[in-house]
Amino acid sequence: QVQLAESGGGLVQPGGSLRLSCAASGRTFSFYTMAWFRQAPGEERDFVAAIAANSGRTDYATSVKGRCTISRDNAKNTMYLQMSSLKPEDSAVYYCSGNPLGLLSTRSRDYTSWGQGTQVTVSS
């Protein structure tokens, strides 16, 4: 299992941008499919974006497509989520996650490693 730690969250105005990072420990990060999920208060944990181990494939939730870009640097054991044109409804705790099975999945139950989350608040 890799250990994951998110950073980069904060308060941003509507229309602004933010880049989240997910640092992974362990030598197997490059074999993991990685993803971002988010959870607002009282809501379920929702899929945001996923990226395959070799960065060849990505997938996005409809709600963020065109506004978010997921990427990874396997040499740095780090994954990123660049978010732009942020809206108040993007406010949530954002979690990074990973699975070693090669599943580019949108389902949280398919991911076995999770970070503690980073809060993103979009408000004026």
Side-chain angles (χ1 to χ4, degrees):
Q1 294 268 27
V2 293
Q3 304 298 314
L4 303 174
E6 304 92 339
S7 62
L11 174 64
V12 62
Q13 292 187 341
S17 299
L18 210 57
R19 188 176 83 156
L20 306 182
S21 298
C22 173
S25 63
R27 293 177 287 181
T28 59
F29 172 78
S30 61
F31 297 108
Y32 273 62
T33 295
M34 299 297 295
W36 289 97
F37 288 80
R38 66 186 182 186
Q39 188 168 22
E43 302 289 332
E44 294 185 351
R45 191 168 294 190
D46 292 330
F47 170 76
V48 177
I51 186 166
N54 63 1
S55 303
R57 292 179 297 152
T58 58
D59 193 13
Y60 295 91
T62 301
S63 60
V64 304
K65 195 171 293 184
R67 300 189 299 119
C68 291
T69 301
I70 189 171
S71 62
R72 64 191 295 165
D73 185 336
N74 286 341
K76 296 182 178 179
N77 276 14
T78 304
M79 174 180 67
Y80 307 96
L81 183 69
Q82 178 69 48
M83 303 186 293
S84 60
S85 302
L86 284 163
K87 307 173 183 179
E89 50 264 42
D90 293 317
S91 297
V93 177
Y94 283 69
Y95 297 91
C96 70
S97 60
N99 82 71
L101 304 178
L103 298 174
L104 198 70
S105 173
T106 63
R107 301 180 303 186
S108 59
R109 64 176 180 266
D110 289 330
Y111 291 85
T112 55
S113 296
W114 291 87
Q116 294 299 307
T118 185
Q119 176 72 47
V120 172
T121 302
V122 184
S123 175
S124 55

